[in-house]
Amino acid sequence: MVERVPRSTPHGPGCAKSLRRDGEESGLPPLQIAINIHRHCGVSLLRAQRLALGLTLERAAAALRAMPGAEGRGAPKLDRIQLGHWECGDHAPKATTVGLLCRFYGCSAEDLGFEDTSAHLPAAMRPPGLGTAPGVDDESMFDRQFDQARRAVDRTLAASSVSAGQLDLLDEQVLEARQQYVYTPPAPMLAALLTHLGEVNNLAADRQPAVVQVHLSELTAMLSTLIADGLMKLGRLSQSRYWYRTARAAADDSGNNELRARVRAQAAMLPFYYGPVETAVALTREARMLCRGRPSATGAFAAAAEARAHAKLGDEEAALTAINHATRVFEQSGSGGHDNDAFSFPERRFHLYESGTYTALGRTRQARHAQAQALPLYPAKTGIDPALLLLEGAICLAKDRSPAEACEMAGSTYLRMAVAHRTPIVDERARDVLTALPPAVRKSRSARDLSQLLALPPSQM
């Protein structure tokens, strides 16, 4: 059953834009902003969800088409006209399409104005937070564990603090976690992060002096950001999206503008990899505004992330403007912080974003220069960044019409990685090498070998 929209005259788009701006300034999550738009403007819940993200029908439809599961036999027609019909209640989407919409907006079917039909869908297509019955499989237990922890933190953020005498130990634990995160695979790291966050949350049971609350909110924002990033690396997109919202709420509660900017720049990674990329641009731009033009590693990070997002959208002028700004800010800031700290932005990471920007723009000479500068700066014990740089080098080879070398480089890079670090992000970047090949050679032997390698289960590699 689809929500019918009253045929009274709804408010214009300017009203929704104003509500979205006010909600974001108040730190409200997109779901609450959508509800406010729905109630105030008289539009459907489905349309309100889109307006809460500031997306046009065209951009929302394009992002939906790019999502996994949006193509193939029996897939719905996803364009601005069809999406508009669903938003007006003229037509009802199929259950599989409702699941796709839920994953895109990170909410339940009821939040979109539809009945919950998830019980009839395969597990991979169900909306976020709607798993099978308790105890059925490990995946549903995984979902519930992280959802319960996130909701507990959200509740505590409303009223929490702790005595100042207990903060030193927490600081040491969180700093150690930030350093371990640089080289530890996401799955085992998440367990440690949840333990640290549980300690912070338990100690924050009662609200106390403001200075203590600020400190606790900062720790919560850091840990929540790392949890969100780890979940994203594992392909747990719905949970990652919710945790990034929690991280933003905690950062906003702290009042620390540097941290608020850092969390937003990091949160942009999710829409950068999984769409809509326009949201990544908006988050990084907001992060830059929070830095208020002051030279800092966070300001350089935000500008470099914005450049990479513009490049992915094909906006060369905006990408070059942003990467040039990032270069100036990084040079003025003097240092991006400690190399082995997930909340720093050292030189090697700056060059990683530089490489991503130039690779997406097809400026292979500049991309290779950035890769050559970055790779020697990484120690032997590190995470996935060196592999991403090498895969971007393979993409450059593909764009320079060296398909055999490109496929060989991508395959050897993939095989050298520890299995625990071969997350969906790495898989997708390796497949980007195949996409970058000229169409005439995509069925060559080297391309087939790489495609078959990426399709193998880890146990057979």
Side-chain angles (χ1 to χ4, degrees), residues 1 52 59 63 108 144 161 195 233 239 250 252 301 303 312 321 342 354 376 407 425:
M1 182 176 178
R59 288 183 174 179
S108 68
R144 288 195 300 277
S161 189
T195 299
K233 288 178 179 177
Q239 284 79 18
D252 290 347
F301 174 36
K312 191 171 185 178
T321 298
E354 205 179 21
C407 293
I425 286 178

Side-chain angles (χ1 to χ4, degrees), residues 398 401 403-404 407 434 436-448:
R401 299 188 179 277
C407 293
L434 295 170
L437 293 172
V441 298
R442 289 179 186 172
K443 294 184 179 180
S444 65
R445 180 171 181 174
S446 56
R448 288 200 309 270

Side-chain angles (χ1 to χ4, degrees), residues 290-314:
L290 285 167
C291 291
R292 298 178 181 177
R294 294 189 294 267
S296 67
T298 298
F301 174 36
E306 182 182 347
R308 194 168 66 161
H310 279 306
K312 191 171 185 178
L313 288 170

Side-chain angles (χ1 to χ4, degrees), residues 2-5 7 44 46-47 50 57 61 77-93 101 114:
V2 64
E3 174 197 24
R4 298 297 302 179
V5 181
R7 290 303 179 184
S44 68
L46 180 58
R47 176 165 293 181
R50 174 174 60 79
L57 278 168
K77 180 182 180 183
L78 287 169
D79 58 22
R80 60 182 300 277
I81 297 174
Q82 184 62 69
L83 185 56
H85 284 314
W86 292 335
E87 289 185 352
C88 293
D90 296 332
H91 303 294
L101 290 166
F114 303 120

Side-chain angles (χ1 to χ4, degrees), residues 129-401:
L130 298 174
T132 52
V136 171
D137 54 43
D138 291 339
E139 184 174 336
S140 62
M141 292 176 64
F142 186 99
D143 292 347
R144 288 195 300 277
Q145 179 186 13
F146 280 94
D147 284 342
Q148 289 169 2
R150 176 183 55 77
R151 292 188 182 109
V153 173
D154 284 340
R155 288 193 297 269
T156 303
L157 281 173
S160 65
S161 189
V162 67
S163 62
Q166 297 168 295
L167 293 178
D168 287 345
L169 180 58
L170 290 176
D171 282 340
E172 292 177 8
Q173 291 175 340
V174 172
L175 178 58
E176 183 180 5
R178 286 163 48 174
Q179 293 171 343
Q180 290 176 340
Y181 191 84
V182 173
Y183 57 83
T184 305
M189 194 68 225
L190 282 169
L193 292 170
L194 278 179
T195 299
H196 295 320
L197 187 58
E199 292 186 24
V200 174
N201 202 37
N202 288 335
L203 292 173
D206 300 310
R207 210 165 185 89
Q208 291 185 9
V211 64
V212 179
Q213 175 58 28
V214 165
H215 203 134
L216 278 175
S217 294
E218 289 174 347
L219 295 177
T220 300
M222 293 175 192
L223 290 169
S224 298
T225 298
L226 295 180
I227 289 173
D229 188 68
L231 289 167
M232 178 189 69
K233 288 178 179 177
L234 292 175
R236 314 295 300 193
L237 306 186
S238 296
Q239 284 79 18
S240 175
R241 187 175 293 109
Y242 288 130
W243 274 100
Y244 271 129
R245 292 175 184 174
T246 295
R248 288 177 60 181
D252 290 347
D253 190 59
S254 76
N256 182 334
N257 276 345
E258 183 82 6
L259 182 60
R260 293 176 67 204
R262 174 70 199 213
V263 170
R264 281 161 172 77
Q266 190 65 44
M269 297 305 100
L270 182 62
F272 172 80
Y273 283 112
Y274 296 103
V277 183
E278 291 85 357
T279 301
V281 171
L283 283 168
T284 52
R285 190 169 292 160
E286 185 179 355
R288 285 177 60 182
M289 291 175 63
L290 285 167
C291 291
R292 298 178 181 177
R294 294 189 294 267
S296 67
T298 298
F301 174 36
E306 182 182 347
R308 194 168 66 161
H310 279 306
K312 191 171 185 178
L313 288 170
D315 191 340
E316 183 171 13
E317 182 179 357
L320 293 176
T321 298
I323 199 64
N324 289 335
H325 177 75
T327 302
R328 290 193 300 271
V329 173
F330 187 80
E331 291 173 348
Q332 292 169 4
S333 64
S335 173
H338 195 281
D339 284 358
N340 295 320
D341 183 348
F343 266 77
S344 65
F345 192 63
E347 183 182 354
R348 67 194 192 196
R349 289 207 72 206
F350 171 75
H351 291 311
L352 171 71
Y353 282 80
E354 205 179 21
S355 168
T357 300
Y358 289 131
T359 299
L361 293 176
R363 294 180 169 234
T364 57
R365 183 184 61 81
Q366 291 164 287
R368 286 198 187 91
H369 180 67
Q371 293 154 18
Q373 288 181 292
L375 285 167
L377 301 177
Y378 283 92
K381 188 180 181 181
T382 189
I384 67 172
D385 286 1
L388 294 177
L389 284 161
L390 291 170
L391 289 172
E392 285 177 355
I395 292 171
C396 290
L397 285 171
K399 290 185 176 183
D400 287 342
R401 299 188 179 277

